[in-house]
Amino acid sequence: MFVNHCTHCDKKMLIFPSQVTGMAKIDGVVAMTYTCWCGEEQLWYEGINAKQAPVNA
C-alpha cells in the first residue's frame, strides 16, 4: 500500500496492490500504473522526487 495524490480527482488516496495495473523498470526507474478510487488511470514512478502524471491513452 502507498498514499498518492490523484491528478484527476485532486485527492490523496491510499492505493492497494489490487489497484495496480502495470509495472516496469525503465532506465533504472520503476514505473507503475494504477487505477485511482475515482476510476482514473494514474502513473507513478520512483525517485528522489517521486512524481505522478495522468496516463494519456
Side-chain angles (χ1 to χ4, degrees):
M1 286 187 285
F2 65 96
V3 174
N4 210 17
H5 180 263
C6 178
T7 59
H8 180 76
C9 66
D10 198 32
K11 294 182 181 175
K12 193 177 271 191
M13 304 268 188
L14 187 59
I15 305 302
F16 290 87
S18 61
Q19 292 170 271
V20 175
T21 56
M23 186 177 265
K25 192 167 192 175
I26 304 166
D27 294 330
V29 176
V30 175
M32 178 175 59
T33 55
Y34 67 93
T35 303
C36 177
W37 290 97
C38 72
E40 288 295 313
E41 285 290 315
Q42 296 287 298
L43 173 66
W44 173 91
Y45 58 91
E46 73 172 352
I48 294 172
N49 297 317
K51 304 211 185 225
Q52 77 233 9
V55 176
N56 295 322

